[in-house]
Amino acid sequence: MIFHHLGKYILLLQASFKKPEKFKVYWSEIMREMVSIGIGSLGIVCIISVFIGGVSTVQTAFQLVSNLIPRSIIGGITRDSAILEFSPTITSLVLAGRVGSSIASQIGTMRVTEQIDALEIMGVNAPGYLILPKIIGGVTMFPLLIILSICLSLFGGYIAGSASGAVSSNDFIIGLTTDFNPLFARIALIKALVFAFIITSVSAYQGYYTSGGALEVGQASTRGVVMSCIIILCADYLIAQLML
Amino acid sequence: MIEIKDINKSFGDKQVLKGISAVFNQGMSNLIIGGSGSGKTTLLKCIVGLHEPEKGEVLYSNQNFTAMDFEQRIPIRKEIGMLFQNSALFDSMTVEENIIFPLNLFTEMSLSEKRDRANYCLDKVNLKNTNKLFPSELSGGMKKRVGIARAITMQPKYLFCDEPNSGLDPKTSIVIDELIKDITEENNITTVVVTHDMNSVMGIGDNILFLHNGEKWWQGSNKEIAHTDNPELNSFVFASKFMQAAKEKL
């Protein structure tokens, strides 16, 4: 069963990456998807990032009770955990819900209302027209969203640390700027690219092979989100294992 | 002209189409009729390539469509226009964008030429000044007419309509039927209509193919259908009291 789905998924991706009928039409679709995924996700990314950073700082400070450990380490831990894990992974899991369900339900609705059939009748490569712009929109906007998320996490940590008195602003900034490993940033961006591809392609796959009606579209949307989340977590482990 | 030869199609264990052969002539409204579940829509989808038949051939002007791959089919697909049962208009696009969509992809026309073409098609279906409306703002009959306008925008040689009258009131159904007939005769195209609407059968049925349980049971014109002695066809055609009364007067 798993190989059946894997085969169909690979064939769908193969069809999606065929040469576009007309680049200009695809370009406007790519722009539309970039706005939808990038600008449309800004609000939720900002909110979760600030809170992730704040909570991370407060909880790290709570556990560092020894006077032998400098308080500035809290800034360092917040930075590394935000860059390595919280921003790329948690943001992607949340975006799997927002972006993934939107893609699966949009394509699924097009399938059950025969809009995809209409594209095929016209001679349009439907997977290419519908899925490729979403994948490109995702892999271009996710890294930017993750960079923004990292910045806002650090900002959230700074505010929470200062406001709660857990760490002084000076100590936090010293922690942030000490012993930074650029590899962590590279890993974060690689995660962003991989997770974006997973969310857009897996959700599109679930939507594309929907059959039935409104109930099945809802089920496809749920499956898209659940599958994306599971695969993201597996990919997260693999990337960590391979790159650290 | 479209010719189908020995079309067979199954879904799982259920054989939906059993060796159907027919010819659909140019310049005529060719109707595929039959009861629910008789295989009409499946046959239409086999003809346009949305389903692949297990056996048999579909020939468009003697070109074997069934034997072609996706790329080889594109030139023929550009000559096909199709009206879907639920119109299948793209929700995210306005009426005008729906109509010029195939022009955007397959022609080098300028924007003003494409708009002129969209206005011409909308004029044909009596839907002027609806260019900027979205499908959600249209009634069922208007959606069907926009569907027809989109189907004819590329000046197709073949027009397919899947139950164009479903969900419409009798008056609007007749308007849609007449529109299909006019377009067919005016442009000398091959039109294939799937329907179980008897008004359409009697009104525009130049060539009628009757399916029963996935088999071809009868083929003829609307002039012949009232006088057939085929029991299954008779029970289908004269199912309503109105048609029974009409038969008695014939």
Side-chain angles (χ1 to χ4, degrees):
Chain A
M1 191 66 177
I2 193 167
F3 290 109
H4 170 77
H5 283 291
L6 188 63
K8 271 171 79 177
Y9 172 74
I10 290 168
L11 287 174
L12 185 68
L13 285 182
Q14 194 183 22
S16 303
F17 284 97
K18 275 189 180 159
K19 188 172 170 272
E21 287 86 6
K22 206 168 193 180
F23 187 73
K24 199 177 153 190
V25 176
Y26 276 59
W27 179 249
S28 64
E29 281 303 304
I30 290 167
M31 289 295 123
R32 198 201 307 250
E33 293 302 335
M34 284 170 76
V35 170
S36 166
I37 294 170
I39 308 293
S41 306
L42 270 181
I44 187 77
V45 168
C46 291
I47 292 168
I48 59 166
S49 302
V50 169
F51 279 95
I52 283 172
V55 171
S56 171
T57 301
V58 171
Q59 289 185 352
T60 307
F62 176 74
Q63 289 174 69
L64 291 179
V65 287
S66 170
N67 287 330
L68 295 173
I69 301 170
R71 302 302 282 174
S72 63
I73 200 109
I74 295 166
I77 291 172
T78 303
R79 178 199 66 204
D80 290 346
S81 53
I83 294 174
L84 261 183
E85 189 63 20
F86 290 150
S87 280
T89 310
I90 295 183
T91 305
S92 294
L93 289 173
V94 171
L95 287 180
R98 204 203 84 82
V99 177
S101 66
S102 160
I103 290 174
S105 57
Q106 186 193 338
I107 296 179
T109 304
M110 289 187 76
R111 167 62 76 194
V112 300
T113 56
E114 297 180 310
Q115 292 176 51
I116 293 180
D117 290 347
L119 284 172
E120 286 176 4
I121 291 287
M122 289 174 195
V124 179
N125 173 24
Y129 178 74
L130 293 173
I131 300 172
L132 184 62
K134 288 176 176 32
I135 292 176
I136 294 176
V139 296
T140 48
M141 295 316 290
F142 263 56
L144 299 177
L145 287 171
I146 299 304
I147 290 169
L148 177 73
S149 170
I150 291 168
C151 296
L152 288 172
S153 290
L154 301 182
F155 174 72
Y158 174 82
I159 296 292
S162 307
S164 65
V167 54
S168 71
S169 54
N170 199 31
D171 280 345
F172 190 83
I173 288 169
I174 289 170
L176 280 187
T177 51
T178 308
D179 295 333
F180 172 66
N181 187 347
L183 174 69
F184 293 175
R186 282 205 293 276
I187 291 174
L189 291 177
I190 288 169
K191 281 184 179 182
L193 288 171
V194 172
F195 297 166
F197 184 81
I198 289 168
I199 291 170
T200 49
S201 61
V202 170
S203 305
Y205 169 77
Q206 292 296 342
Y208 196 81
Y209 290 110
T210 305
S211 59
L215 181 68
E216 285 79 6
V217 172
Q219 288 170 345
S221 177
T222 307
R223 266 199 314 274
V225 174
V226 171
M227 291 305 296
S228 297
C229 289
I230 293 169
I231 298 171
I232 282 172
L233 292 172
C234 296
D236 188 31
Y237 173 75
L238 269 177
I239 292 169
Q241 187 73 55
L242 290 171
M243 295 198 68
L244 289 174
Chain B
M1 186 189 76
I2 301 168
E3 189 177 0
I4 56 173
K5 291 179 182 173
D6 194 26
I7 298 289
N8 285 271
K9 177 72 186 169
S10 303
F11 293 109
D13 296 335
K14 187 172 165 51
Q15 191 169 4
V16 181
L17 298 175
K18 300 165 189 165
I20 295 177
S21 300
V23 174
F24 301 112
N25 298 311
Q26 192 173 346
M28 278 189 179
S29 299
N30 302 275
L31 269 58
I32 301 172
I33 64 168
S36 298
S38 58
K40 307 183 294 294
T41 299
T42 304
L43 178 59
L44 187 77
K45 288 188 173 179
C46 285
I47 296 171
V48 298
L50 289 174
H51 288 329
E52 296 302 327
E54 281 119 31
K55 195 180 154 203
E57 291 175 348
V58 178
L59 303 158
Y60 282 83
S61 304
N62 296 320
Q63 298 174 81
N64 191 346
F65 186 70
T66 321
M68 296 175 181
D69 63 20
F70 182 86
E71 302 293 332
Q72 290 169 324
R73 285 180 179 183
I74 289 175
I76 293 179
R77 286 202 192 277
K78 287 179 189 170
E79 296 179 333
I80 292 176
M82 183 155 174
L83 170 64
F84 287 85
Q85 192 171 352
N86 298 310
S87 304
L89 300 176
F90 304 124
D91 300 326
S92 58
M93 298 181 193
T94 62
V95 165
E96 184 177 273
E97 287 167 344
N98 262 283
I99 295 170
I100 66 173
F101 179 77
L103 302 175
N104 281 339
L105 278 165
F106 298 116
T107 71
E108 297 300 328
M109 291 164 84
S110 68
L111 184 61
S112 64
E113 285 172 326
K114 284 184 271 194
R115 284 198 169 135
D116 287 346
R117 180 75 195 151
N119 288 331
Y120 170 80
C121 293
L122 285 172
D123 192 23
K124 275 268 166 210
V125 298
N126 300 317
L127 272 182
K128 280 182 183 171
N129 304 320
T130 53
N131 302 46
K132 299 297 168 202
L133 295 178
F134 280 90
S136 58
E137 298 172 292
L138 303 175
S139 70
M142 288 165 86
K143 280 183 189 170
K144 296 273 184 189
R145 283 190 273 169
V146 175
I148 294 173
R150 186 179 67 182
I152 62 171
T153 189
M154 291 282 283
Q155 297 173 295
K157 280 170 72 177
Y158 314 100
L159 179 64
F160 297 93
C161 305
D162 187 9
E163 305 206 10
N165 312 105
S166 67
L168 299 182
D169 64 81
K171 205 174 166 184
T172 312
S173 291
I174 291 167
V175 171
I176 297 289
D177 283 345
E178 284 173 356
L179 195 56
I180 291 168
K181 191 167 179 63
D182 289 347
I183 289 166
T184 304
E185 289 174 358
E186 207 173 295
N187 301 299
N188 195 30
I189 59 178
T190 308
T191 298
V192 180
V193 180
V194 164
T195 187
H196 46 66
D197 184 279
M198 285 315 298
N199 285 330
S200 303
V201 173
M202 302 314 283
I204 63 167
D206 300 325
N207 176 30
I208 301 163
L209 176 68
F210 175 66
L211 299 187
H212 181 67
N213 288 337
E215 290 178 79
K216 176 181 157 183
W217 274 52
W218 184 85
Q219 189 164 12
S221 71
N222 54 359
K223 292 180 182 69
E224 296 162 335
I225 201 166
H227 307 290
T228 173
D229 54 2
N230 185 315
E232 292 297 338
L233 180 58
N234 270 327
S235 83
F236 176 79
V237 173
F238 301 108
S240 73
K241 284 182 179 167
F242 176 77
M243 287 302 292
Q244 285 168 14
K247 188 184 183 185
E248 284 163 15
K249 287 190 177 178
L250 283 171

